[in-house]
Amino acid sequence: MSAIAFPIPDQSILARREEIVAGLATLVAPEALITAEDERRPYETDALTAYRRLPLAVVLPSTTAEVAAVLKFCGEQGVPVVPRGAGTSLAGGAIPQEDAVVIGVSKMNRILSIDYANRTAKVQAGVTNLAVTGEVSAEGFFYAPDPSSQLACSIGGNIGMNSGGAHCLKYGVTTNNVLGVTMVLLDGSIVEVGGAHLDAAGYDILGLINGSEGQLGIITEATVRILRAAEGARPVLFGFPTSEQAGAAVAAIIGAGIIPVAMEFMDKPAIEICEAFAHAGYPMDVEALLIIEVEGSDTEMDAQLARIVAIAREHGVKTVKESKSAMEAAAIWKGRKSAFGATGRIADYICMDGTIPTGQLPYVLRRMAEIVKGYGLRVANVFHAGDGNLHPLILYNCNDPVEAQKAEDAGMDILKLCVEVGGCLTGEHGVGIEKRDLMTFQFNPEDLNQQMRVRAVFDQRWLLNPAKVFPLEGRVAA
Amino acid sequence: MTLHIPTTEAQACAIVKSVIDSGVPLSIGGGGTRAGLGRPTQTQSTLSSAGLTGITLYEPAEMVIAARAGTPLAEVERTLAERGQMLPFEPMDHRALLGTDGEPTIGAVAAGNISGPRRINAGAARDSLIGIRLVNGRGEAIKSGGRVMKNVTGLDLVKLVAGSYGTLGFLTEVTFRVLPKPERILTLAWRGLSDEAAVALLCTALGSPYEPFAASHLPAGIGAAQPRTLLRLENFSDSIDYRSRELIALLGAHGAPERIEGQDSVELWRDVRDARVFAGTDEAIWRLSVAPTAGPKATAAIAARVPGARWFYDWGGGLVWLAVPAGADAAADAIRTAIRPLGGHATLVRAPAAIRASVPVFEPLPEPLMRVTAGIKTSFDPAGIFEPGRMYAGV
Ligand SMILES: Cc1cc2nc3c(=O)[nH]c(=O)nc-3n(C[C@@H](O)[C@H](O)[C@@H](O)COP(=O)(O)OP(=O)(O)OC[C@H]3O[C@@H](n4cnc5c(N)ncnc54)[C@H](O)[C@@H]3O)c2cc1C
Ligand SMILES: Cc1cc2nc3c(=O)[nH]c(=O)nc-3n(C[C@H](O)[C@H](O)[C@H](O)COP(=O)(O)OP(=O)(O)OC[C@H]3O[C@@H](n4cnc5c(N)ncnc54)[C@H](O)[C@@H]3O)c2cc1C
C-alpha cells in the first residue's frame, strides 16, 4: 500500500544529519542515541506496518531533563520530532519520517509512587499499561483503561491516543483516568499540568493533551487514578440468532438502568476466528455473540445477571453461557482479546476503528457487509457494543497490491459511513496518518482551523509529529 | 448596555462579527443569572443564550442528550427524569451561595464545568460533555466532539471549553452523556469525628469495593452542633443492603453510623452540593482542590493563619469549601501560601467585586502555562471580545 502521502523530507535537514547527530550526542549518554541504520529499523513503523520510514536518529532519554534538552535542541535546529511510546499505534501515529528524530520514552519505565489513601499512582510515561495494574493488584486495585494491547503499550502512548478498552463503558477512557502529567514543550520548558487533585486550575489543558497524538509536547510522567477492584467479576456469553436482536438487547439493558462493566459484540466470522484460536467455548450456531461482564459480590452478580438474562430472553437469545470458574472467565476474555492476533493467523487484515450511535447498529452492520462484499473481500466484526465503538477487521492478502488497495478503500468507506450516521472516524485508535485525509469529511474548514490554531499555540512551526492528524494541505499557524 | 438575544446560531455569528468591527467586548449570559463568578469584567454588551432553547436530541438507550445552550437546566433534568435518567455529575446550584435568582442554563453548566458530590465516582461535567457547538471570536460556528462517548477524532476542544467561563466562545449547543438514576440511595452518617479521622474513614470507604458515590465531612458547627461524616451509596435496593452492611463492618472502628434515606438524605446532599451552609453570610468563599488526605492539612494550616475560617469537605476530603472573614484580600495570600506545599489550588468563588478585581480569583499559573493559556484564548478569540479578563488578566 502506498496511498497515504508523507511530507517530502527536508533536504537541508538530511544534509545536516551528521551535525544534528553530533549535537544530540552532547546531550545524552551514548547508549541513548541510536544512529546505525540496522538499529534504527525497529523504529521505522508501528502497528500500521504497511507504512514505514527510516528516521534520522532515535533518542531514548532516561530523564525529563534529557527529554527537555533534546526537544529544545530539535526545536532550535528546526528538526521534526516524533514522540514514541511502545509503537503499538494502529493508526500510524508513531511512524516517523526521514527528516525526523524519534524521541522514545521506553527507558522511562519506573513506577514512581503509589498512594492508596488518595488512590493515585505516579508513573513514568514509558511504563506499560498492564504494569500499573500489576503493581497495585495485590492491594486489590487496578488502572481502569484496558486496551487489548495493554501488555505492550505505554501510559504515554495511551495518553497520546486517549486509549480505551473493553471496560470503559463503566470506567471511562484514558482522559477520565489521568489526573496530571509532566510534559516537555518544544522550547524545552517543563510543565506540570494537574496533579494528585481532581480538577486542575485554569483551562483544561490536561483534557487537551489526552488524545493529542504527540503534537503538543512529550509526556514524561503521569499521575493516574487507581480504583479498587470490585469483589468479583463474571463475563457471560449470549448467543443471538441475528445481529439485530443482539443490538436490541444492548439497548434494552441500558434502557432498564443497567450499566454492565463491559458489553462486547462479535459477529459470526469473528466468533469462528476467535474460537478456532482460543477454544473459549463460543457457541457456533449463532449469528452474533455478546460478552457481558457484571461486577460485585456473588449475590449482586446473580441478581444483575438475572435481570440481564430476562432481557436477553425477550430478545430471542439462543445460548446463555455463564462462566463458572476463573478459568472459564479467562477463556471467554481470551477469545475476545485475541481477536486481532487470531485474525492475523488466517489472513492479513486492517483493523478499522469508528464509532456510531448504537441505535444505528443494525443498519451499519448491514451496510458494512455490503461495502466489503462490493470490494470482493471479507470482514469480521468485534466491537464495544455499549458505546458503539466498531472494529471491523477487513481481511485481504497483503502480497496482492490490488487487494490491499481495495481493503484500504473499503475501510475508508466504512469510516465515512460512521460519520454519516452521526458517529466519528475514530473511537480509540486515533487519527495518525491513517485517517488524516478523512478529517475534512468529519470537520468543515472552520472546525479544523480552530483545532490547528490551538495546536500551533504549542508548536508554531509544525515540528511535533507533523505528518499526523491534520491533512497536509491547508495547515494554519496561530 | 446592549443585550443581544440571537435565536439562531447564524444570528449569533453575525452579532459576533459586527462586534469585532466595533471592538466592544461582550459578556456572555445564560439565564442572565450570572453573578460574582470569576473576575469582574468591563463590558458594555451581553450576548445571551436565552433565545437558543430546546432539547435537540434525546436517545435514552444511547444515554445521550443534546440541548441548545439557553435551555433551562431544570428542563433538561425533568426530561431525563421522565425516563429514569440523570446528568451523572450532579451539577451544583450556586443561587443560594451567591444570593442570586434566575434560571440556570445547560450551556453555562458546560461553560463552568460545574460538578457536585458525585464527581468522585462519575467524573466532572467535562467528563460527560461529549459535544459542543460554539461561535468563536471570529464569528465562526465551530463544532467539536459529537454525540458518541468514544471519540478521539482530532484535538479535544470540548474539554478546553468546559470550564472556560465564556472566555473562548459562545456555546450554542451542548451534548452530554447521561446515566440511569439509581433505584435507591442511602446515606450513612457518623458523628463526632475529627477532620483527620473523618477523611481517613472516607478514604478507606472510597478505597473499598463498595463504591460510595459521595463522601463528605461537615465539622462541628457546620449545619449541626456535632461533626458529621457522610457516605452515600447508590444502587439497586438489595445491593444497598449488602454494601451498607459491609461498609459499616469495614469502618467499625469509627462507631456505628446513622442511616438516612428519603427527603432528609436529598436535602442533606443538596446542602453539601450547593454549599448552603455558607449562604447568606458576608464571608468570602473559597473552593480548594487538593488530594483528599491533604484536605485536613490545608485547613489546619489555614486556620493557623486566618482566624475565624470555617470549612467543610466534599470529594472525600479533596474539595474544601472554605469561608473566611471578608478582609482586604479575602485571605488570598494566606490560603495560597498554606496549600502551596501540599499541591492543588484555590479558587475564590464569592467576594465583593472590588476584592475579586484585586486578588487572583483563579490560581495563578506558572509562566509557560500562562503563555499557553493566553495563546489558547487568542486562538479562539483573537480580538479579545469574550468576557475579557474573567479568568486571568488579559485572558
Ligand atoms: C446565579 C447563579 C445561579 C446558578 N444556579 C444554578 C442551578 O440552579 N443549577 C446549576 O446546576 N448550576 C447553577 N449555577 C451554577 C452553574 O451551573 C452555572 O453558572 C449556570 O448553571 C448558571 O446558569 P446561567 O445560565 O445563569 O449562567 P450565567 O451565570 O449567565 O453564566 C455563567 C458563566 O457561564 C458562561 N456562559 C453562560 N452561557 C454561556 C454560553 N452559552 N456560552 C459560553 N459561555 C456561557 C458565562 O460567560 C459565565 O462565565 C448557578 C450560577 C449562578 C451564577
Ligand atoms: C493488538 C493491538 C490491540 C490494540 N487494542 C487497542 C484497544 O483495545 N484500545 C485502544 O485504544 N487501542 C488499542 N490499540 C492501539 C494502541 O495500542 C494504543 O493506541 C496505545 O495507546 C499506543 O500506545 P504506545 O505506547 O504503543 O504508543 P505509540 O504507538 O508509540 O504512540 C501512539 C501516539 O502517542 C504519541 N506518544 C507516544 N508516547 C508519547 C509521549 N510520551 N508523549 C507524547 N506523545 C506520545 C505518539 O507520537 C503517537 O502519536 C491496539 C494495538 C494493537 C497492536
Side-chain angles (χ1 to χ4, degrees):
Chain A
M1 281 184 272
S2 58
I4 300 172
F6 278 75
I8 298 160
D10 182 334
Q11 290 304 323
S12 72
I13 294 176
L14 298 184
R16 281 189 292 134
R17 175 158 191 266
E18 275 181 33
E19 193 186 314
I20 292 163
V21 166
L24 292 170
T26 66
L27 303 173
V28 293
E31 63 274 15
L33 180 60
I34 296 172
T35 56
E37 186 177 325
D38 58 337
E39 290 173 35
R40 278 183 280 147
R41 280 271 167 234
Y43 297 91
E44 69 181 354
T45 190
D46 53 20
L48 188 68
T49 51
Y51 293 87
R52 48 192 70 221
R53 292 288 185 279
L54 198 61
L56 198 72
V58 178
V59 194
L60 303 176
S62 304
T63 64
T64 300
E66 278 182 356
V67 173
V70 173
L71 208 45
K72 180 165 188 278
F73 173 78
C74 291
E76 285 165 358
Q77 296 288 321
V79 177
V81 167
V82 177
R84 185 178 177 101
T88 68
S89 169
L90 288 163
I95 292 179
Q97 52 195 74
E98 295 90 336
D99 57 6
V101 171
V102 169
I103 303 181
V105 295
S106 57
K107 283 193 180 165
M108 302 178 68
N109 58 4
R110 279 188 306 127
I111 291 176
L112 300 171
S113 61
I114 310 273
D115 182 345
Y116 289 107
N118 290 313
R119 302 172 305 285
T120 57
K122 192 160 191 194
V123 305
Q124 290 184 323
V127 165
T128 64
N129 174 294
L130 201 57
V132 181
T133 293
E135 184 76 12
V136 299
S137 58
E139 298 289 326
F141 283 76
F142 72 111
Y143 175 60
D146 59 342
S148 302
S149 53
Q150 65 189 147
L151 188 63
C153 65
S154 71
I155 291 292
N158 288 174
I159 295 171
M161 286 306 190
N162 192 13
S163 295
H167 290 83
C168 55
L169 180 60
K170 176 169 176 197
Y171 293 112
V173 295
T174 300
T175 192
N176 311 121
N177 288 280
V178 174
L179 295 177
V181 296
T182 304
M183 187 167 92
V184 183
L185 304 180
L186 187 56
D187 66 0
S189 44
I190 298 167
V191 296
E192 301 280 339
V193 185
H197 46 282
L198 279 183
D199 287 341
Y203 290 154
D204 189 358
I205 293 168
L206 188 59
L208 181 70
I209 291 169
N210 276 283
S212 59
E213 306 200 19
Q215 304 229 326
L216 306 183
I218 294 189
I219 299 148
T220 59
E221 292 177 11
T223 302
V224 300
R225 267 154 80 96
I226 52 169
L227 303 176
R228 178 64 190 254
E231 287 174 90
R234 208 187 293 161
V236 180
L237 292 172
F238 294 86
F240 288 88
T242 66
S243 294
E244 279 80 0
Q245 283 161 302
V250 168
I253 290 165
I254 289 171
I258 305 168
I259 308 288
V261 256
M263 284 205 263
E264 299 289 298
F265 182 110
M266 299 167 92
D267 69 0
K268 180 99 181 176
I271 300 170
E272 282 167 1
I273 290 168
C274 294
E275 179 62 16
F277 176 80
H279 310 293
Y282 290 173
M284 303 306 294
D285 59 341
V286 296
E287 284 300 314
L289 190 74
L290 292 177
I291 300 173
I292 299 184
E293 182 160 285
V294 296
E295 277 187 349
S297 67
D298 278 332
T299 29
E300 285 177 318
M301 291 192 288
D302 288 343
Q304 217 186 87
L305 274 173
R307 290 167 201 258
I308 293 172
V309 169
I311 294 170
R313 296 224 189 283
E314 284 165 26
H315 291 84
V317 73
K318 230 168 127 178
T319 331
V320 178
K321 193 161 180 277
E322 273 193 48
S323 55
K324 296 268 181 307
S325 67
M327 250 171 60
E328 281 179 28
I332 289 178
W333 276 117
K334 186 175 173 222
R336 164 64 184 88
K337 292 219 171 192
S338 58
F340 295 177
T343 306
R345 296 190 340 151
I346 64 158
D348 303 305
Y349 69 90
I350 51 174
C351 169
M352 305 312 294
D353 163 53
T355 304
I356 56 159
T358 49
Q360 300 286 336
L361 198 57
Y363 169 71
V364 170
L365 284 173
R366 199 168 57 244
R367 274 295 295 140
M368 280 199 301
E370 287 167 12
I371 288 170
V372 177
K373 206 167 163 207
Y375 284 99
L377 300 173
R378 286 190 297 150
V379 62
N381 279 295
V382 294
F383 59 89
H384 312 303
D387 38 39
N389 188 189
L390 307 177
H391 290 314
L393 305 177
I394 304 170
L395 311 185
Y396 73 103
N397 172 7
C398 79
N399 294 319
D400 177 347
V402 176
E403 205 168 87
Q405 189 59 51
K406 283 182 178 169
E408 207 163 275
D409 292 346
M412 295 303 127
D413 288 356
I414 288 174
L415 294 181
K416 287 182 176 172
L417 170 67
C418 291
V419 175
E420 277 161 8
V421 299
C424 62
L425 294 173
T426 169
E428 56 182 21
H429 295 169
V431 178
I433 55 166
E434 188 196 26
K435 284 154 256 179
R436 190 186 67 200
D437 297 320
L438 279 187
M439 289 287 276
T440 50
F441 194 79
Q442 182 168 338
F443 297 109
N444 67 27
E446 283 82 20
D447 302 337
L448 271 183
N449 287 349
Q450 184 60 62
Q451 290 186 33
M452 287 192 275
R453 275 190 219 104
V454 169
R455 185 204 185 286
V457 169
F458 295 80
D459 175 16
Q460 281 278 340
R461 290 167 297 157
W462 284 81
L463 293 177
L464 281 160
N465 215 4
K468 316 296 161 57
V469 184
F470 298 103
L472 297 179
E473 298 292 316
R475 294 179 159 190
V476 301
Chain B
M1 199 47 143
T2 322
L3 180 62
H4 303 281
I5 310 181
T7 53
T8 63
E9 187 178 78
Q11 279 177 12
C13 290
I15 292 163
V16 171
K17 282 193 176 127
S18 72
V19 169
I20 304 171
D21 292 340
S22 69
V24 182
L26 284 173
S27 284
I28 295 181
T33 61
R34 57 186 289 274
L37 286 171
R39 303 171 76 240
T41 56
Q42 303 289 322
T43 52
Q44 298 299 311
S45 308
T46 296
L47 179 56
S48 167
S49 65
L52 295 166
T53 57
I55 289 165
T56 47
L57 169 107
Y58 179 34
E59 290 287 351
E62 291 171 14
M63 301 191 289
V64 58
I65 194 162
R68 292 200 185 85
T71 309
L73 176 66
E75 183 183 331
V76 173
E77 294 191 320
R78 204 181 324 111
T79 304
L80 291 171
E82 280 165 13
R83 302 297 295 265
Q85 295 188 324
M86 63 180 183
L87 294 171
F89 47 90
E90 199 179 3
M92 164 179 192
D93 183 342
H94 279 79
R95 279 176 292 197
L97 186 66
L98 298 180
T100 48
D101 51 23
E103 192 61 50
T105 61
I106 189 71
V109 169
N113 187 23
I114 309 289
S115 323
R118 238 171 160 274
R119 194 248 176 279
I120 50 167
N121 190 301
R126 61 86 105 167
D127 293 289
S128 293
L129 184 66
I130 55 177
I132 54 165
R133 294 193 61 85
L134 105 159
V135 179
N136 69 10
R138 297 166 195 258
E140 299 165 340
I142 301 291
K143 69 167 177 301
S144 181
R147 57 172 286 200
V148 289
M149 183 65 195
K150 282 176 82 183
N151 183 349
V152 293
T153 322
L155 287 180
D156 193 352
L157 304 184
V158 173
K159 299 281 186 298
L160 267 187
V161 171
S164 65
Y165 291 94
T167 58
L168 297 181
F170 177 66
L171 287 163
T172 55
E173 187 176 336
V174 294
T175 307
F176 281 102
R177 184 189 197 235
V178 301
L179 281 182
K181 270 193 168 182
E183 187 176 273
R184 181 176 158 207
I185 294 177
L186 169 70
T187 301
L188 301 176
W190 285 260
R191 299 236 176 217
L193 301 183
S194 70
D195 288 14
E196 289 77 13
V199 169
L201 178 154
L202 298 177
C203 285
T204 306
L206 289 166
S208 78
Y210 311 115
E211 274 193 314
F213 278 83
S216 167
H217 176 66
L218 310 174
I222 301 293
Q226 263 197 331
R228 290 169 296 167
T229 309
L230 310 174
L231 279 177
R232 191 171 84 202
L233 295 176
E234 304 179 12
N235 214 312
F236 291 105
S237 188
D238 33 8
S239 286
I240 296 262
D241 288 335
Y242 168 77
R243 291 183 175 202
S244 57
R245 225 173 25 241
E246 294 293 315
L247 260 180
I248 290 168
L250 176 72
L251 302 169
H254 299 281
E258 180 189 342
R259 302 163 73 92
I260 309 172
E261 297 202 59
Q263 196 54 29
D264 289 349
S265 169
V266 170
E267 278 166 23
L268 187 54
W269 285 105
R270 188 188 300 143
D271 289 353
V272 171
R273 184 191 74 182
D274 300 341
R276 269 167 196 256
V277 287
F278 296 148
T281 73
D282 58 9
E283 297 156 288
I285 307 296
W286 290 84
R287 207 168 162 276
L288 318 184
S289 185
V290 292
T293 55
K297 294 185 186 120
T299 52
I302 290 164
R305 291 180 162 90
V306 187
R310 311 189 291 146
W311 58 82
F312 71 91
Y313 306 87
D314 196 358
W315 298 357
L319 172 63
V320 180
W321 281 102
L322 175 74
V324 297
D329 77 337
D333 265 355
I335 291 166
R336 291 206 162 108
T337 308
I339 63 169
R340 197 161 299 131
L342 300 168
H345 61 94
T347 308
L348 180 56
V349 177
R350 183 182 79 190
I355 296 180
R356 283 182 290 114
S358 64
V359 308
V361 169
F362 294 90
E363 187 77 20
L365 299 171
E367 191 280 328
L369 280 182
M370 197 59 226
R371 206 184 339 132
V372 166
T373 298
I376 289 170
K377 164 73 174 177
T378 306
S379 77
F380 277 88
D381 179 17
I385 52 167
F386 291 128
E387 298 275 351
R390 188 172 186 113
M391 293 186 72
Y392 297 98
V395 167

